[in-house]
Amino acid sequence: RNFFMWQLIAEKSKWIASFFLMLCMIASTISVSATTILYILAFLFVLMSGHWREVVERIICNKAAVSFLLLFTLFIVGTFYSTSTKHLMMQDLHKRHWMLMTPIFIAFITSVKWRMRMMNIFLGAMIVILVLSYAKYFYHFDFAGQLHVFRTQEPACVFQDHIVQSFAMNIAAF
């Protein structure tokens, strides 16, 4: 009986983790903080979803996942060559937490249905950002100003003036 309860928790955790990752696709176009929170929440539910032997095997077989781990390893090695203080080195490594989580997410998302949902949500969010940017630039309609939530200085930035939106737009165009 206890085994079935853990199996149910694992299945629900898998669905919730996938849902949080899908929300990350929207949040990544708007807010770095919201993306980080959702990313960490998704990771916690991935940890509760079980089937770790399969996940580790998928990470090892996936070149993209291995490249994230190798890049993080280079960051760790680079901290030993830094002239920075230990506090700043640890803070910089903390900013790179996503390099450890991303390979697990790559191996975790096996469902084509969820992958397509995430891709479509991201592209839809980027189209909305593009339309709002054009509306702000050409028609001087400030969506964020109307909400009184975000303050932007750039004429075409819809939300905060972050390079994240430009980078995300490049990914969407690719």
Side-chain angles (χ1 to χ4, degrees):
R1 178 183 164 131
N2 202 12
F3 174 74
F4 293 117
M5 182 183 76
W6 283 112
Q7 218 173 11
L8 180 66
I9 290 172
E11 285 303 313
K12 295 292 183 189
S13 296
K14 188 174 182 177
W15 187 90
I16 293 170
S18 298
F19 181 73
F20 278 137
L21 282 172
M22 191 172 63
L23 290 179
C24 276
M25 299 300 137
I26 297 170
S28 67
T29 62
I30 300 170
S31 169
V32 174
S33 299
T35 303
T36 301
I37 291 167
L38 289 169
Y39 210 69
I40 290 170
L41 284 172
F43 184 70
L44 292 175
F45 280 101
V46 165
L47 291 177
M48 294 186 333
S49 69
H51 306 291
W52 283 102
R53 180 170 284 146
E54 297 168 14
V55 170
V56 170
E57 289 172 2
R58 282 188 234 125
I59 289 173
I60 292 169
C61 295
N62 191 310
K63 291 179 183 179
V66 171
S67 69
F68 274 95
L69 294 175
L70 289 174
L71 186 59
F72 188 72
T73 304
L74 286 175
F75 269 98
I76 291 174
V77 170
T79 59
F80 292 110
Y81 289 103
S82 177
T83 59
S84 186
T85 64
K86 287 183 182 180
H87 172 72
L88 290 175
M89 286 189 292
M90 292 309 292
Q91 187 178 7
D92 192 41
L93 280 177
H94 177 68
K95 288 180 184 177
R96 309 292 184 260
H97 66 276
W98 56 271
M99 285 187 192
L100 288 175
M101 290 189 248
T102 302
I104 294 170
F105 288 143
I106 290 171
F108 174 75
I109 307 168
T110 57
S111 169
V112 174
K113 183 178 176 181
W114 277 104
R115 274 192 229 142
M116 294 307 293
R117 281 180 186 163
M118 290 176 199
M119 195 170 2
N120 289 334
I121 293 262
F122 174 73
L123 291 175
M126 290 314 301
I127 289 170
V128 168
I129 294 291
L130 182 65
V131 168
L132 290 174
S133 295
Y134 278 135
K136 184 174 181 181
Y137 187 78
F138 290 116
Y139 302 111
H140 306 290
F141 173 72
D142 188 7
F143 178 73
Q146 299 292 329
L147 294 176
H148 302 292
V149 176
F150 302 103
R151 296 178 191 195
T152 61
Q153 287 77 34
E154 291 294 318
C157 274
V158 179
F159 298 108
Q160 292 289 6
D161 301 329
H162 288 295
I163 196 165
V164 174
Q165 288 174 347
S166 299
F167 186 69
M169 193 61 73
N170 289 330
I171 291 172
F174 178 71

